[in-house]
Amino acid sequence: MTRYRRMAMQPECDMAIDDIIHEFVVYDDHNRLVDINLDMVKGLSATSRRAITQEFENVLDLLEFNEKGYEVARHWYIDGRMFYHVIIDPKNIQDGIKELRYIDPRKIKKVRESQKERVQLDAGSVQVSRVKSEFFLYNEKGFVGYPGGSPTSAGMDQGVKIAKDSVLHVTSGVMTEDNRMVLSHLHKAIKPLNQLRILEDATVIYRISRAPERRIFYIDVGNLPKMKAEQYLRDMMVKHKNRLIYDAATGEIRDDRKFMTMLEDYWLPRREGSRGTEITTLPGGQNLGEMDDVLYFQKKLYKSLNVPVSRLEPDSGMTLGRATEINRDEVKFQKFIQRLRLRFSMLFDTALEKQLVLKGLMTPEEFAEIKRDIRYDFKQDNYFTELKENEIFNERITTLTNVEQYVGTYFSRDWIKKNILKMTEDGVEEMQTQMDAEAEQNTEMDAALADPADGTNGVDGQQGPPQ
């Protein structure tokens, strides 16, 4: 998790995370960030629905989700897990949850103690492992272990035990290949990010070292001995490097030969018999403006985080048009956001269950029956899915208009509802009930207009219905 947090400090990785969390949590000045949807829950009275909705709002207030939704979602996404300690009043349990206290995931872990038993079967005995107890272990200094070590490694079995039902936790759902450790969604971006860092550093070093042009001095040392040839070469270097600068402010002449710059020259001795003293130029790098490799790994980093590559380009704007103009990557990105929201909603389920059970509004068994039908509506900011749904609906209406003349001849209305409008059995019944109710209401209104009870018409005693 510490590694993940360091990755989030990289500018490119931070920009990608911001794109994900901004789609995950959409702020609205007038509404909550997320609402509970009980439309699919059957068998609940109006009073129970209002109570569940009110307790869900209390849970959001305890999580401070409407004020700190961005920080909460960002911490969960980066760490890959989130823990909250449930604080209640033991003397007055029916008051529900008093506080949800955030716990650093590096300081808490879940422990499952098991014992092996032998079970006698018809074919013989089999050794099985049964869970003896489950609890959370908290250590203020964190846990120290070794990669691939067992849960009883050094420092891994020390801490304060916390009851299992006293902690709310939700994970990313991403596991290692052996299903022993929870990973973050950032884990698959470790390699592309490291490659991007190395390439950026190499590019900077190459540009600094190869950008300037350098002079090469070939000094003819004749047939001087080695020691005298080196001394003669040093004398020539000092002579040509002597820079006398006139200071107009003080009127002094300053000698700057002691300063070394990156425009360092090369001095090479040349023996008698070859060419004489010569000065040439070593050109700088010619491909310093190439950034294709860096851009490649930036795009690879975005792809590893499921963010559309088009968002990496600042010049590409957002286009709201037909579904055929929508980038496929944006649709995939919206589905990825929906998966994140669905996984994160497990935290709401657990907190809401504890709140309802503690206040005596519902038993755990009753909540388990309605849990699968509870939905959470997050505020939407990505219009691509809405545009796609609108265009699909328009195409269905167009097809319905085209086959309307064949109803009763080749197609039945039930077949059209199920195959063209894609309505379910429940949807057909619900729509028919609503249409019957509206038709009955219109009939009653027409009857009242045609046959008024007071026998008058108009507001001034004329025959007709009262207005």
Side-chain angles (χ1 to χ4, degrees), residues 248-270:
T250 60
E252 297 178 352
I253 296 178
R254 187 173 67 250
D255 185 1
D256 284 346
R257 78 178 69 183
K258 59 183 178 180
F259 294 109
M260 302 294 292
T261 66
M262 69 177 179
L263 297 175
E264 189 67 30
D265 299 329
Y266 295 98
W267 296 79
L268 304 176
R270 178 176 289 175

Side-chain angles (χ1 to χ4, degrees), residues 349-379:
D349 288 335
T350 309
L352 182 60
E353 178 184 6
K354 294 186 182 300
Q355 183 78 342
L356 295 175
V357 172
L358 288 174
K359 289 194 172 184
L361 300 176
M362 192 173 292
T363 62
E365 292 76 13
E366 293 173 346
F367 185 83
E369 294 179 358
I370 68 172
K371 179 179 178 180
R372 62 175 63 92
D373 296 328
I374 296 178
R375 299 292 182 268
Y376 300 97
D377 297 333
F378 288 81
K379 297 303 175 184

Side-chain angles (χ1 to χ4, degrees), residues 401-444:
T401 304
N402 295 333
V403 302
E404 182 68 24
Q405 56 182 332
Y406 303 107
V407 175
T409 305
Y410 298 104
F411 307 103
S412 65
R413 295 191 178 275
D414 290 339
W415 186 91
I416 291 176
K417 292 178 182 179
K418 295 179 181 179
N419 294 275
I420 295 181
L421 298 179
K422 303 298 181 181
M423 299 175 64
T424 61
E425 292 286 349
D426 296 337
V428 172
E429 295 178 1
E430 182 180 359
M431 190 63 63
Q432 187 64 42
T433 302
Q434 293 179 4
M435 290 190 296
D436 294 342
E438 292 177 357
E440 183 179 356
Q441 183 179 2
N442 293 334
T443 302
E444 294 177 355

Side-chain angles (χ1 to χ4, degrees), residues 133-150:
S133 62
E134 287 183 318
F135 56 89
F136 286 91
L137 200 62
Y138 175 79
N139 191 331
E140 180 63 28
K141 297 181 180 180
F143 296 97
V144 180
Y146 302 96
S150 62

Side-chain angles (χ1 to χ4, degrees), residues 169-336:
H169 75 286
V170 59
T171 62
S172 63
V174 182
M175 304 291 293
T176 56
E177 57 275 5
D178 56 358
N179 289 333
R180 296 185 59 184
M181 182 180 296
V182 178
L183 302 177
S184 170
H185 288 280
L186 296 180
H187 191 79
K188 56 183 177 295
I190 292 178
K191 183 178 179 180
L193 182 58
N194 290 335
Q195 291 173 334
L196 178 61
R197 287 173 176 172
I198 295 173
L199 191 58
E200 287 179 343
D201 294 340
T203 303
V204 172
I205 294 172
Y206 177 74
R207 288 195 172 190
I208 292 177
S209 61
R210 295 289 294 133
E213 294 184 353
R214 290 175 172 83
R215 294 175 298 180
I216 303 177
F217 291 83
Y218 295 97
I219 306 300
D220 185 7
V221 296
N223 55 357
L224 293 176
K226 182 176 183 300
M227 297 297 295
K228 290 186 177 183
E230 293 178 354
Q231 181 63 37
Y232 176 71
L233 185 62
R234 284 193 295 268
D235 293 341
M236 294 296 293
M237 292 173 59
V238 173
K239 179 180 179 181
H240 288 84
K241 276 185 170 293
N242 186 15
R243 299 182 58 193
L244 300 178
I245 299 177
Y246 172 73
D247 192 348
T250 60
E252 297 178 352
I253 296 178
R254 187 173 67 250
D255 185 1
D256 284 346
R257 78 178 69 183
K258 59 183 178 180
F259 294 109
M260 302 294 292
T261 66
M262 69 177 179
L263 297 175
E264 189 67 30
D265 299 329
Y266 295 98
W267 296 79
L268 304 176
R270 178 176 289 175
R271 285 293 178 180
E272 183 181 7
S274 60
R275 289 176 297 178
T277 302
E278 182 183 356
I279 302 176
T280 60
T281 303
L282 179 65
Q286 302 299 322
N287 56 347
L288 300 180
E290 295 183 2
M291 296 292 293
D292 294 340
D293 296 339
V294 177
L295 295 178
Y296 168 78
F297 283 106
Q298 285 182 348
K299 293 180 180 180
K300 188 175 180 181
L301 176 63
Y302 261 55
K303 289 181 179 179
S304 65
L305 295 175
N306 299 327
V307 178
V309 181
S310 59
R311 301 195 176 202
L312 182 62
E313 303 173 358
D315 297 335
S316 61
M318 180 178 177
T319 302
L320 296 178
R322 296 174 58 85
T324 54
E325 301 173 358
I326 298 175
N327 192 351
R328 181 184 296 270
D329 291 340
E330 289 290 345
V331 179
K332 293 172 60 178
F333 181 62
Q334 181 61 19
K335 293 181 179 179
F336 173 67

